[in-house]
């Protein structure tokens, strides 16, 4: 069933070994789990697959915040996401899930760093005119963040599902892809790496036809000017696209074309993207 | 006329806002606030766009007070400090607190759940006219606010001025 208006936290859990800030890595391993996680958290609510995997150690979920009209939106591996009214406004509360299998000192540091990165990236986006939710409150004790809720929005993921299901207006999807490409180009030009680009992390404000996009979920984001990091960012999106949405190769091509047209620094990035594609999983590296 | 909002995350506290115009005794009020005879934060309403801005500041201040991590010495001072985009406390007071020549004052009271606050008592100390919070937008100096918070032109396209301001307030200590 299509999940409407959900800001899905499909937080792909990168292995701790990979380094908390997630800079460019030689082995594109972490892309794999991130994509796998996406499939599980995609159309289905809840995280049964993830929970089963992490069930080695009992994970105590964080207590829900006492917000009026509280609804649990998504139980990701990284955080529980709630919707409710905060100080009179529709808000999203992301409460990080503590990982008991980690050493407490590391857990604390990692949690704090992720949250700080998210807040920092959100502010940086806004300053540059890149649409992202407003930050209302950051709680460093429980490592939770309260953000603007984009009311009545729909994820690009759900939008593509519904358009493909209804079978009409594929040209609208091409325009959407172009807008996505433009938006990502602007984001990368600010040296902001999203870190978890999926169609579930892109929202469309109502009315959907306006193609008013909003980027969300910057929990794995970081700042980098390296074409490699930007290339990997796009690669993550490409894998997410192909795995979640069949027959969208032309869409992604349109996205890349718009990206290249918008960003002056796109040349090296696309080049790196091609390189990363060759590196990917199950690729023969003979020779 | 005044507005009260209970802090969801801190249900034992509620925030009340009172707005006054044509104020004649700003200097005396400022002194009273500093002495502590008025237990509230006296704020310059020209720097405030919307009550939500105050609530965000109050929420943060109460949070920091509860965990013992306030940067200033009192809750009221912390509210004023939280409004400011700068980490300089005296600068925050200069820009967001009231000055002796001000003719409008916004009083913010943070009250413990069960304690009753005598609003009439506080209002009587102000030589001015209490008005509804709906009048606040007319008092806002948008140009001054934009300059103070260094709002970029690109930002104005993707959200309201309030959005920009609140975002900076809440992420001030992250950067």
């Amino acid at each position: 069933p299509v999940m409407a208006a959900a800001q899905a936290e499909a937080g792909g859990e990168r292995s701790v070994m990979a380094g908390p800030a997630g800079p460019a890595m030689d082995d594109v391993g972490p892309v794999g789990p991130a994509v796998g996680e996406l499939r599980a958290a995609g159309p289905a609510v809840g995280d049964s697959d993830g929970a089963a995997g992490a069930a080695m150690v009992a994970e105590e979920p964080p207590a829900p915040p006492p917000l009026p009209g509280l609804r649990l939106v998504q139980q990701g591996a990284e955080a529980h996401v709630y919707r409710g009214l905060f100080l009179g406004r529709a808000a999203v509360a992301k409460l990080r899930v503590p990982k008991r299998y980690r050493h407490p000192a590391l857990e604390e540091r990692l949690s704090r760093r992720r949250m700080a990165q998210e807040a920092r990236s959100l502010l940086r986006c806004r300053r540059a005119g890149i649409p992202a939710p407003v930050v209302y409150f950051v709680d460093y004790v429980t490592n939770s963040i309260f953000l603007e809720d984009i009311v009545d929005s729909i994820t690009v993921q759900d939008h593509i599902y519904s358009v493909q299901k209804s079978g009409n207006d594929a040209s609208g999807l091409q325009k959407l892809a172009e807008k996505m490409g433009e938006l990502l180009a602007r984001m990368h030009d600010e040296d902001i790496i999203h870190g978890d680009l999926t169609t579930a992390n892109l929202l469309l404000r109502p009315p959907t036809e306006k193609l008013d996009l909003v980027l969300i979920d910057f929990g794995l984001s970081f700042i980098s000017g390296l074409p490699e990091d930007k290339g990997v960012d796009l690669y993550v999106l490409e894998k997410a696209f192909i795995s979640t949405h069949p027959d969208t190769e032309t869409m992604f091509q349109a996205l890349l074309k718009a990206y290249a047209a918008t960003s002056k620094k796109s040349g090296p990035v696309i080049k790196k993207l091609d390189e990363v594609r060759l590196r990917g999983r199950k690729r023969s590296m003979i020779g | 006329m005044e507005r009260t909002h209970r802090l969801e995350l801190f249900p034992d506290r509620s925030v009340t806002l009172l707005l006054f115009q044509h104020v004649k005794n700003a200097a005396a009020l400022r002194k009273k606030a500093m002495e502590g005879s008025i237990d509230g934060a006296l704020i310059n309403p020209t720097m405030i766009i919307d009550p939500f801005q105050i609530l965000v500041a109050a929420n943060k201040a109460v949070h920091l007070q509860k965990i013992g991590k306030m940067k200033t010495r009192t809750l009221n001072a912390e509210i004023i400090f939280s409004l400011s985009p700068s980490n300089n406390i005296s600068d925050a007071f200069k820009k967001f607190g009231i000055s002796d020549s001000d003719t409008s004052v916004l009083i913010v009271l943070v009250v413990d759940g069960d304690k009753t606050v005598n609003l009439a008592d506080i209002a009587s100390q102000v030589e001015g006219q209490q008005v509804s919070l709906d009048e606040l937008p007319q008092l806002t100096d948008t140009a001054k606010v934009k300059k103070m918070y260094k709002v970029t032109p690109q930002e104005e396209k993707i959200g309201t001025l309030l959005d920009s301001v609140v975002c900076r307030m809440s992420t001030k200590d992250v950067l």
Side-chain angles (χ1 to χ4, degrees), chain B residues 92-106:
Chain B
F93 268 87
K94 242 193 285 184
K95 302 278 166 52
F96 293 85
I98 57 168
S99 53
D100 295 349
S101 56
D102 282 350
T103 53
S104 54
V105 176
L106 177 63

Side-chain angles (χ1 to χ4, degrees), chain A:
Chain A
V2 171
M3 205 168 48
Q7 274 175 247
E9 161 90 56
E13 168 89 287
R14 291 193 176 176
S15 72
V16 174
M17 254 43 92
M25 285 164 279
D26 290 334
D27 123 270
V28 202
V31 175
V35 174
E37 185 88 336
L38 288 166
R39 217 184 263 121
V45 184
D47 193 20
S48 47
D49 294 357
M56 316 299 167
V57 186
E59 274 179 14
E60 203 183 284
L67 302 184
L70 193 75
R71 277 124 51 220
L72 176 63
V73 169
Q74 179 74 281
Q75 271 179 282
E78 284 286 316
H80 287 6
V81 182
Y82 296 86
R83 271 208 170 99
L85 288 175
F86 179 66
L87 303 177
R89 294 220 160 178
V92 168
K94 282 168 70 164
L95 278 56
R96 290 223 113 80
V97 176
K99 302 286 181 188
R100 294 298 160 85
Y101 56 79
R102 285 189 194 135
H103 189 286
L106 179 61
E107 168 59 26
E108 176 57 38
R109 221 177 272 195
L110 199 55
S111 217
R112 165 112 14 122
R113 186 192 302 226
R114 292 255 173 95
M115 220 183 44
Q117 280 175 326
E118 178 154 26
R120 221 174 277 151
S121 296
L122 286 169
L123 179 62
R124 208 174 161 118
C125 274
R126 290 202 70 87
R127 289 237 281 260
I130 293 165
V134 178
V135 182
Y136 291 157
F137 175 49
V138 183
D139 179 351
Y140 295 100
V141 175
T142 55
N143 285 334
S144 28
I145 187 168
F146 293 76
L147 310 161
E148 173 190 8
D149 180 12
I150 317 286
V151 184
D152 294 332
S153 60
I154 178 177
T155 63
V156 166
Q157 183 177 84
D158 289 341
H159 176 69
I160 296 177
Y161 283 149
S162 83
V163 166
Q164 285 186 328
K165 203 163 109 174
S166 72
N168 62 0
D169 194 15
S171 57
L173 287 186
Q174 289 297 101
K175 192 82 182 70
L176 173 61
E178 283 167 29
K179 286 230 151 182
M180 284 167 68
E182 283 165 24
L183 183 62
L184 293 176
R186 288 200 296 135
M187 184 185 76
H188 281 173
D189 277 355
E190 295 293 322
D191 289 347
I192 300 170
I193 310 297
H194 185 277
D196 191 15
L197 280 176
T198 73
T199 49
N201 284 337
L202 269 154
L203 300 183
L204 281 162
R205 284 190 195 271
T208 319
E209 310 81 62
K210 276 189 82 181
L211 298 184
D212 204 353
L213 289 163
V214 182
L215 277 161
I216 61 164
D217 195 3
F218 284 79
L220 293 171
S221 66
F222 57 100
I223 307 295
S224 167
L226 295 180
E228 166 88 22
D229 292 329
K230 297 176 184 176
V232 171
D233 218 18
L234 292 175
Y235 183 66
V236 170
L237 180 60
E238 184 173 31
K239 295 301 270 181
F241 237 105
I242 298 172
S243 62
T244 351
H245 306 286
D247 306 320
T248 48
E249 287 81 9
T250 44
M251 243 192 107
F252 196 76
Q253 273 168 26
L255 192 157
L256 284 184
K257 189 154 167 245
Y259 180 95
T262 313
S263 164
K264 298 177 197 88
K265 312 183 215 171
S266 63
V269 175
I270 305 292
K271 192 155 167 284
K272 278 293 174 181
L273 172 61
D274 292 332
E275 274 174 45
V276 171
R277 277 176 181 148
L278 291 173
R279 261 189 246 149
R281 295 164 86 213
K282 302 170 188 153
R283 296 260 158 189
S284 158
M285 292 287 274
I286 301 167

